[in-house]
Amino acid sequence: MTTTWTAVRVVRDRNAGLYLAGVVISGFGTSALWLASGVWVKDLTGSDGLAALCMLAMWAPTLAGPLLGTLADRVRRRPLLIGTSLLMAALLLTLCTVDSPHGLWLLYAVLFVYGAAGAVQDAAESALIATAVDRSLLGDFNGLRMTANEGMKLLAPLAGAGLYAAYGGAGVAALDAVTFLLAAVVYAFLRVREDRPVPPAGSRREQTAEGVRHLWSHPVLRPLVSAGGATMLCAGISGALVYAVVEDLGHSPAYAGVLYAVQGAGSVAVGLLSGPALRRFGARHFAAYGIAVLAVAVALRAVPNDPLAWVCSAGIGVGLPAVLIATLTAVQHETPAPLLGRVTATANTLVFTPNVLGLAAGATLVELADHRLLLAALGATLTATAFLLRSPA
């Protein structure tokens, strides 16, 4: 009852409801393009490596997150969100001209700008919503945002695949452009009073370093971000082992899609519960409990049993988002508004970069060692991470 009531309060809050609508709209387009871009390149070139470069192009700008986040602290955030959405809508429409391998440079360039704009928007959104939504509801809001994102990941790839089959990559790019235009309209309707930011002192490097210093010296944020990075590293390695798990179950590689769908359903569920859980346990304990659930689920994946594999996938979906929601909410609570864009972007870089490194490491390790031993080791590492986070500072 309490969970339902707080979720309804968030949705009924005008700014929160509009912003969540923007998340659903833009998340739908992003998830559709994420799938279609790789398929598009594969169809044009026949190369798996060139197709994989699409994800690299979108992800690479997040490495510059601390620097990109300074932009969200230098200008008013609502106009920034509107402007970046309109920019991406225009750039995506240029992809309608890509119909041969000679045009791939444009696709990669747009995807790179897409990733950079996403890093800026994430920082601006986090900072804006921290002032536009009741602070007591930030945990509920971030949980519902996670639910919306995961829901789009379940639906949008299927829609994107169908649209690609009917109209090709240009059709998916046009759809994503429309979602950015709609998101810009949603941001324009937000009612939030923003003062013009005071120009920050010092060079761009000093401004970036100020956000890093705040994050790393804060007694609440530092352990959460450290645990988040360690968790995402383990999650990346575990994710690279999923096809070995599927093979051990005796299924074709396509069965991995079933496990990912079950995992997504778990993430949708935990998003609805995160607000009350954060209020009851606090950010560190909530994150630690989630990592502990993740540890058990990852380790038990070593047992080749279909029902257990489903339970473990749901457990991963429940456990993994906890540390992400807890960290973002803590950043919004513990960071002064003038620094919030930089600190959010820095936290995102430190938490999510290890996931990509973990995927690369897992792809190598699975060829060198039995995946069951690797899953057991990951479970032990995650258990230690949960214990350290749970322990008093």
Side-chain angles (χ1 to χ4, degrees), residues 73 211-212 214-215 221 331 335 339-348:
D73 291 331
V212 175
H214 172 81
L215 184 67
L221 300 182
V331 165
T335 304
L339 285 177
L340 194 46
R342 280 166 282 178
V343 175
T344 297
T346 301
N348 286 342

Side-chain angles (χ1 to χ4, degrees), residues 23-356:
V23 168
V24 171
I25 293 167
S26 60
F28 186 91
T30 298
S31 296
L33 186 69
W34 173 80
L35 171 70
S37 60
V39 178
W40 195 357
V41 172
K42 174 70 173 177
D43 283 346
L44 288 175
T45 67
S47 170
D48 291 328
L50 291 176
L53 284 180
C54 292
M55 276 306 298
L56 178 62
M58 293 181 72
W59 171 83
T62 61
L63 291 174
L67 181 62
L68 293 170
T70 62
L71 181 59
D73 291 331
R74 293 175 63 89
V75 300
R76 288 182 295 168
R77 281 117 182 193
R78 188 173 71 113
L80 177 62
L81 289 171
I82 295 171
T84 53
S85 295
L86 294 176
L87 170 65
M88 288 312 307
L91 288 178
L92 283 163
L93 290 176
T94 67
L95 295 183
C96 294
T97 64
V98 177
D99 57 4
S100 72
H102 298 294
L104 289 185
W105 69 269
L106 178 60
L107 175 59
Y108 290 132
V110 170
L111 291 177
F112 184 85
V113 177
Y114 199 115
V120 173
Q121 284 195 314
D122 282 346
E125 288 167 353
S126 176
L128 183 63
I129 210 64
T131 59
V133 174
D134 187 333
R135 291 178 66 83
S136 67
L137 296 177
L138 283 176
D140 302 272
F141 176 84
N142 290 326
L144 287 175
R145 182 187 181 189
M146 176 69 69
T147 295
N149 277 327
E150 292 301 322
M152 287 304 97
K153 289 178 184 178
L154 293 174
L155 300 176
L158 296 175
L163 190 64
Y164 180 85
Y167 301 103
V172 181
L175 168 68
D176 201 9
V178 171
T179 65
F180 270 107
L181 287 173
L182 292 175
V185 172
V186 169
Y187 295 139
F189 278 98
L190 288 173
R191 292 177 182 170
V192 55
R193 185 178 181 276
E194 291 186 275
D195 296 325
R196 185 176 297 277
V198 177
S203 66
R204 181 65 65 88
R205 178 181 296 179
E206 292 170 334
Q207 296 167 32
T208 303
E210 188 177 5
V212 175
R213 280 197 301 270
H214 172 81
L215 184 67
W216 210 242
S217 63
H218 199 285
V220 174
L221 300 182
R222 180 174 178 173
L224 278 169
V225 170
S226 299
T231 301
M232 292 302 287
L233 175 66
C234 292
I237 298 173
S238 174
L241 305 180
V242 67
Y243 291 105
V245 171
V246 169
E247 183 180 4
D248 206 25
L249 290 169
H251 297 289
S252 70
Y255 191 74
V258 176
L259 298 183
Y260 280 127
V262 175
Q263 179 177 326
S267 297
V268 168
V270 78
L272 298 174
L273 300 171
S274 61
L278 280 168
R279 283 188 288 274
R280 179 172 181 178
F281 301 117
R284 283 184 67 159
H285 288 181
F286 174 55
Y289 295 146
I291 297 170
V293 171
L294 178 64
V296 174
V298 167
L300 288 180
R301 265 191 164 179
V303 180
N305 178 274
D306 276 310
L308 182 60
W310 282 48
V311 172
C312 289
S313 293
I316 292 171
V318 168
L320 184 58
V323 68
L324 305 179
I325 295 170
T327 301
L328 175 58
T329 304
V331 165
Q332 291 170 325
H333 276 296
E334 303 292 337
T335 304
L339 285 177
L340 194 46
R342 280 166 282 178
V343 175
T344 297
T346 301
N348 286 342
T349 296
L350 293 175
V351 169
F352 290 107
T353 299
N355 184 249
V356 180

